[in-house]
Structures are given as structure tokens and as C-alpha cells.
Amino acid sequence: MRFNKLKISADATSRLRSLRQRTGLTPNLLCRAAIMLSLEEGPVGGGTAPDEEGQEFNAYTLTGDYNGLIGALLRFVEETEPDLAAPLTNDQLVGRLRFHIHRGVATLAVRAKSPADVARLTMAA
């Protein structure tokens, strides 16, 4: 999966601000945890894409040294969809990554009140 920059939704950006205040963790770390939580829930499918009116991340800030791992996990989860006829293109994978961030941040916003909660959620995942 290749991308230089990725914009997330305005809703996810707002929730990340709140999570940062509660947990003290930076948005990129929270997004990594959100991705893992969402991947555990399974494929997001091809529904309506979240807006791109929120925070922008460059690829290395968002995924760090784990870009290959996150890309492989994303491809594994998303390409096991039963009605998927062909492998996903890079643009489709990046779009699905945005979906996973959006869904995972929503989950974190409800369930994480401290850094320990984030650790517990991601370790259980």
C-alpha cells in the first residue's frame, strides 16, 4: 500500500482531539490503535466513504515502520470479502484504510478513557 498523505474525516479529527486530551497519546498513535481495532471487526466493505475534511497525515507519521504490516493486514482482511472478484487496487486499499481509521476512532472514543484503556483494547485485539 502506497500513499504520501492521507486525510481523515472531520468527525474522526474531532474525536482524536478529545482522545488526545483524555489519554495524552498523539493522533498518529491513536490512529494506529484504531486501525488494529477496526481490522479485528472485519472488512468495512465499499459503503459511503467518510469525508476528507479533517486532519492530514503523511504516510510515515501515520504508519511509521509498520506500513508494510498494516498494508498486509488490510489486504488480508479486505480481500477475504466473499463478493470481491479481484484484488483491490492501491487507491481502494487507501480508501479502506480511511474507513478503518474512521470506524476504529469511533470505537476508541467510546471505550478509551486513559492510556491504559488504549493498551488494554489493542492488546486484546
Side-chain angles (χ1 to χ4, degrees):
M1 176 179 60
R2 295 172 315 280
F3 64 97
N4 291 325
K5 295 186 185 279
L6 180 85
K7 283 190 108 174
I8 62 173
S9 68
D11 181 53
T13 299
S14 175
R15 290 175 190 234
L16 283 172
R17 272 192 220 108
S18 175
L19 281 164
R20 184 178 185 159
Q21 290 173 343
R22 286 193 311 232
T23 65
L25 298 173
T26 60
N28 61 315
L29 294 177
L30 290 166
C31 281
R32 290 178 197 179
I35 292 166
M36 293 300 116
L37 286 172
S38 181
L39 286 172
E40 182 184 33
E41 291 180 35
V44 291
T48 306
D51 66 68
E52 293 184 42
E53 304 299 320
Q55 186 172 358
E56 182 176 72
F57 292 93
N58 72 42
Y60 190 78
T61 300
L62 184 61
T63 60
D65 291 332
Y66 303 105
N67 189 51
L69 176 63
I70 290 171
L73 289 170
L74 182 64
R75 190 173 292 280
F76 176 78
V77 168
E78 291 297 328
E79 290 185 352
T80 57
E81 231 180 298
D83 56 332
L84 192 62
L88 295 170
T89 66
N90 188 66
D91 288 345
Q92 290 172 317
L93 277 175
V94 171
R96 303 255 176 128
L97 177 63
R98 288 180 56 248
F99 269 103
H100 281 288
I101 291 171
H102 188 79
R103 181 168 75 177
V105 166
T107 300
L108 277 177
V110 172
R111 298 173 63 188
K113 307 297 182 215
S114 70
D117 290 338
V118 175
R120 195 172 13 261
L121 286 168
T122 55
M123 295 307 283

